[in-house]
Amino acid sequence: MEAADLPRSPRRPGPGTIGVPGRRLASKVGLAPGTAVFIGERKRQSIRIDLLEFDAAVVHEAHDVSVDDCAVHRGTATVSWIQVNGIHDIALIEALASRFGLHPMTIEDIVNTSQRPKCEELPDYCFVALKMLAYSRASRSVGAEHVSLILGPNYVISFLEDEGDVFDSVRLRIRKGLGRVRSMGADYLAFCLMDAVVDHYFLAVEQIGDEIELFDERILMGPRPGDIQEIHHYKSDLIKLRKAVWPLRDVVAAISKSESSLLRPDIIIFWRDLYDHTIQVIDMVETSRDVLASLHDTYLSGLSNRMNEVMKVLTIISTIFIPLTFIVGVYGMNFKHMPELEWQPGYFVVWVVMVAIAIGLFAYFRRRHWI
């Protein structure tokens, strides 16, 4: 599965008020804190829960499991990764949350797809909200998906808006026993999931940066009427990336300095490395924003230079024809006594004079490098 084009299920409106496409935050006005209201667009017909349980020796994987099946794995000695694909079914989310003792405020943040990246430490678990981003070359736009992670003593629950994700590399390492993920705990699994999300930030920023560089080279060759819309399109993509990465920097920094018993000191170095990666992504985004800002100036300068060239050509043509128009105007006057009118070679002499003036002016402009 390509990270740039995550699979998406058909989008259908759901019954009632839950799952109405594009539901806004205004629907939460007046409700008590901790009231779970799905904010976003329903992307699946039904929620599917997948389970991946492992330790250093064995791996057990199951799909489309029930809430009760998930609750059984809360107290096992192995590490359990529960992934919930779809967050529009409030009743199911609340049922799963009750099995794992999640706070109502946590449930509210899980189903709110507009929630900014954040980290909260509670006595029994840690909650992390972040954005999963992918750049689609086909639509030339950044797709954002809300992701929530619950880190418990021996489990990780990931909540996604839809089935597509960027965690295939993590699953592959678990299934084949690659790396250290099978021998580490749930906190390292949570790190791996967040690291996979940040790695795809790099991919999205690099793809946008490559397109901006090509766009820069084309603008230097000559601006086009639709270029200003293209610049604003890239600007909106970079703003989306910036809104996702900047808060995540603070989230990872808080985790790397946390003293929670759920985060072992021996993997703090991994969280610090992830913090460095978020800083690198921010630097790349800011660099692309600077390039894009200069592109806007380059576009306006190109238009100005193009207009100046047109005006220069028109001015030169006008300057050449001004003396010719003067001559024609003088001899176009209807005076009866004009000696030149009776002169037999006068017509040809006037032509010679006008041609000589035009050639002389043209040669002068060429010598001054004006044309």
Side-chain angles (χ1 to χ4, degrees), residues 20 48 52 70 82 158 178 186 194 203-204 219 223 226 236 245 263 268 288 296 335 338 346 353:
V20 176
R48 195 187 76 183
L52 188 58
C70 295
I82 301 169
S158 57
L178 305 176
M194 294 183 63
L203 182 59
I219 279 189
S236 64
V245 180
L263 300 168
I268 292 299
S288 297
H296 191 272
F335 290 107
M338 292 184 69
V353 171

Side-chain angles (χ1 to χ4, degrees), residues 74-249:
R74 181 181 179 182
T76 58
T78 55
V79 177
S80 299
W81 175 16
I82 301 169
Q83 175 155 306
V84 182
N85 302 294
I87 55 176
H88 54 270
D89 191 339
I90 302 296
L92 190 147
I93 299 297
E94 289 180 338
L96 181 64
S98 65
R99 300 296 198 283
F100 287 86
L102 303 186
H103 194 276
M105 297 298 293
T106 302
I107 303 174
E108 180 183 2
D109 291 337
I110 290 174
V111 298
N112 181 8
T113 60
S114 62
Q115 174 63 49
R116 73 190 298 271
K118 62 180 292 189
C119 175
E120 289 183 347
E121 294 183 11
L122 287 89
D124 297 329
Y125 64 91
C126 291
F127 168 71
V128 177
L130 67 161
K131 300 297 180 183
M132 182 172 62
L133 303 179
Y135 183 74
S136 173
R137 292 189 180 274
S139 61
R140 300 176 65 188
S141 61
V142 175
E145 185 170 323
H146 182 63
V147 179
S148 300
L149 298 178
I150 303 293
L151 170 62
N154 59 341
Y155 65 87
V156 173
I157 308 177
S158 57
F159 296 88
L160 279 70
E161 293 184 60
D162 201 0
E163 187 173 358
D165 57 38
V166 296
F167 302 143
D168 282 346
S169 60
V170 181
R171 295 188 184 93
L172 181 63
R173 279 182 282 167
I174 294 174
R175 290 164 183 163
K176 295 188 176 182
L178 305 176
R180 56 175 62 87
V181 63
R182 290 265 296 271
S183 59
M184 304 291 278
D187 51 352
Y188 186 78
L189 173 60
F191 158 77
C192 291
L193 298 180
M194 294 183 63
D195 185 58
V197 171
V198 174
D199 284 345
H200 284 79
Y201 285 178
F202 279 105
L203 182 59
V205 176
E206 287 177 354
Q207 290 174 333
I208 295 178
D210 292 341
E211 292 196 5
I212 290 177
E213 289 181 3
L214 295 175
F215 185 60
D216 186 14
E217 295 176 359
R218 188 180 64 75
I219 279 189
L220 291 176
M221 298 176 62
R224 300 176 184 176
D227 287 343
I228 191 66
Q229 288 82 5
E230 192 87 3
I231 291 174
H232 284 287
H233 176 75
Y234 287 124
K235 183 178 179 180
S236 64
D237 285 342
L238 290 177
I239 289 175
K240 187 179 294 185
L241 282 167
R242 193 172 186 270
K243 290 173 64 177
V245 180
W246 271 87
L248 185 60
R249 176 193 61 175

